[in-house]
């Protein structure tokens, strides 16, 4: 048993988190992670309405009696979703753990505190993590440059970012980006983290709802199979390497602006990748950790394997170095 500040505070068995992923964080995957002893997050905005989110929460409860949470990512938008209504749905559904990301979650914290909800906020820098601590979140997920999705603009990898955050913060830290196995978990703990977050690795499990072709592509890909898009727009995103992402990078390098790539990066196109298995229908998020993934296990098999191998690494290999 690996007990950390994170497992104690958030009430989970293992220090392993499946963070919110657009079009991926649905009831079957979240419940499978929870049943395996980890902490899974439903992605609120994958559900088209707050009422649909309520129903997804209930579907998850039908599949597990273990703790799980909901991710609510707040991002600026021309036509923003009704964030307050999604937040109210989370509270009224009795969920006790929320993962926040994107904009400052401070406006939502008083209602979460009143409802007894613990908040894990996703950050990409120490300065943002310190601000999250000051406003009262219960823990932070710190994303290194290796991660899928938005790694921020500082380009600091986890080997530096995790210990820098651990040195500066008092609240529990979850390491995110580039982690897929026991080696990553043990390394993160050694660097000062209290647990790990895995996105791409959980996307490539049997309970994940993405198309089988996506999972097989992740297994086939290497650590070099990503592209960084939106670099010229100061909104960097790490996505899988495919025809569309390469085209976006090409347009940016030739001086293009967002309007020139808007159709290529539309969320509806990325959703088609996950649902139809058309690997070049749009862009889709995946991290450099693809190079460490070579199978498609159940969540139970994955978590059990990671925990068992982590304990062996700590008790055998690492212990053998001590005179």
């Amino acid at each position: 048993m690996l007990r950390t500040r994170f497992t104690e505070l958030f009430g989970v068995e293992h220090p392993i988190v499946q963070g919110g992923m657009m079009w991926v964080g649905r009831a079957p995957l979240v419940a499978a992670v929870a049943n395996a002893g980890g902490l899974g997050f439903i992605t609120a905005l994958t559900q088209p309405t707050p009422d649909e989110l309520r129903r997804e929460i209930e579907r998850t409860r039908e599949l597990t009696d273990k703790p799980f949470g909901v991710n609510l990512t707040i991002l600026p938008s021309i036509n923003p979703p009704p964030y307050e209504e999604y937040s109210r749905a989370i509270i009224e559904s009795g969920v006790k753990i929320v993962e926040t990301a994107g904009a400052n979650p401070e406006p939502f914290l008083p209602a979460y505190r009143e409802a007894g909800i613990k908040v894990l906020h996703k950050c990409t820098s120490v300065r943002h993590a310190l601000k999250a601590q000051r406003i009262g979140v219960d823990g932070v997920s710190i994303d290194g440059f290796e991660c899928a999705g938005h790694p921020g603009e500082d380009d600091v990898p986890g080997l530096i970012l995790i210990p820098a955050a651990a040195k500066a913060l008092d609240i529990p830290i979850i390491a995110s980006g580039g982690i897929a196995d026991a080696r990553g978990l043990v390394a993160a703990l050694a660097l000062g983290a209290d647990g790990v977050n895995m996105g791409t690795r959980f996307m490539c499990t049997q309970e994940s709802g993405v198309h089988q072709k996506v999972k097989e592509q992740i297994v086939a890909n290497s650590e070099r199979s990503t592209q960084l898009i939106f670099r010229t727009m100061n909104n960097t995103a790490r996505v899988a390497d495919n025809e569309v992402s390469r085209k976006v990078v090409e347009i940016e390098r030739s001086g293009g602006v967002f309007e020139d790539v808007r159709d290529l990066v539309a969320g509806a196109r990325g959703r088609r990748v996950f649902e139809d298995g058309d690997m070049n229908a749009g862009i889709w998020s995946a991290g450099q950790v693809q190079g460490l993934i070579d199978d498609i296990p159940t969540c139970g098999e994955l978590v059990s394997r990671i925990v068992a191998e982590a304990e062996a690494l700590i008790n055998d290999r690492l212990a053998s170095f001590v005179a």
Side-chain angles (χ1 to χ4, degrees):
M1 295 287 289
L2 297 173
R3 307 304 297 174
T4 70
R5 292 187 302 168
F6 169 74
T7 61
E8 297 295 334
L9 183 60
F10 285 81
V12 294
E13 186 177 354
H14 303 306
I16 297 173
V17 178
Q18 165 257 309
M21 294 176 280
M22 196 65 178
W23 314 124
V24 181
R26 302 177 189 270
L29 175 61
V30 173
V33 173
N35 287 331
L39 177 59
F41 283 98
I42 298 169
T43 308
L45 298 183
T46 291
Q47 302 303 317
T49 67
D51 283 340
E52 283 294 327
L53 174 59
R54 287 182 171 90
R55 286 189 277 274
E56 192 70 4
I57 291 169
E58 287 308 308
R59 280 192 284 269
T60 307
R61 286 205 174 105
E62 292 171 0
L63 298 172
T64 186
D65 59 1
K66 302 288 185 66
F68 65 89
V70 176
N71 162 282
L72 183 59
T73 298
I74 310 295
L75 292 172
S77 173
I78 297 174
N79 297 302
Y83 293 122
E84 291 284 354
E85 293 179 29
Y86 276 99
S87 180
R88 193 177 312 120
I90 294 169
I91 294 170
E92 292 175 353
S93 295
V95 171
K96 293 303 178 184
I97 304 173
V98 168
E99 179 185 59
T100 56
N104 186 347
E106 188 170 13
F108 298 89
L109 293 185
Y112 290 153
R113 289 194 196 99
E114 185 178 349
I117 293 173
K118 289 184 171 58
V119 176
L120 184 68
H121 185 62
K122 186 172 291 188
C123 306
T124 60
S125 69
V126 175
R127 63 186 184 278
H128 293 151
L130 282 168
K131 181 173 182 180
Q133 178 175 268
R134 283 196 300 271
I135 65 175
V137 304
D138 299 283
V140 295
S141 175
I142 195 85
D143 285 15
F145 186 57
E146 308 92 332
C147 73
H150 293 279
E153 303 304 313
D154 295 339
D155 296 1
V156 180
L159 194 61
I160 304 299
L161 190 58
I162 298 165
K167 180 180 179 180
L169 298 169
D170 298 318
I171 57 177
I173 299 165
I174 299 301
S176 182
I179 299 166
D181 54 28
R183 295 168 297 180
L185 172 56
V186 173
L189 296 176
L191 291 171
D194 300 281
V196 296
N197 173 74
M198 302 189 303
T200 306
R201 173 66 274 196
F202 275 122
M203 189 163 68
C204 194
T205 57
Q206 290 185 26
E207 294 91 348
S208 165
V210 304
H211 198 282
Q212 182 68 14
K213 288 184 178 179
V214 175
K215 301 175 189 181
E216 292 171 356
Q217 188 65 56
I218 291 172
V219 171
N221 281 349
S222 76
E223 67 277 6
R224 300 178 65 246
S225 301
T226 69
Q227 292 285 341
L228 292 170
I229 63 173
F230 303 155
R231 292 291 268 173
T232 61
M233 306 171 198
N234 295 317
N235 189 29
T236 301
R238 186 180 297 282
V239 299
D241 176 56
N242 66 3
E243 292 176 6
V244 182
S245 60
R246 289 193 293 272
K247 181 65 175 176
V248 171
V249 171
E250 179 185 335
I251 292 171
E252 285 191 68
R253 286 175 177 167
S254 64
V257 297
F258 181 73
E259 288 302 320
D260 299 317
V261 300
R262 179 191 291 271
D263 291 340
L264 292 172
V265 303
R269 293 185 58 159
R271 184 175 183 176
R272 281 175 49 206
V273 174
F274 288 149
E275 294 184 352
D276 301 338
D278 180 350
M279 304 310 301
N280 289 300
I283 61 166
W284 54 285
S285 292
Q288 292 180 311
V289 78
Q290 291 175 104
L292 302 179
I293 297 172
D294 56 15
D295 65 352
I296 308 171
T298 67
C299 290
E301 291 167 344
L302 176 63
V303 172
S304 294
R305 181 172 72 200
I306 289 174
V307 172
E309 291 180 359
E311 290 173 348
L313 274 172
I314 294 167
N315 294 325
D316 300 331
R317 176 173 165 76
L318 297 184
S320 71
F321 296 143
V322 181

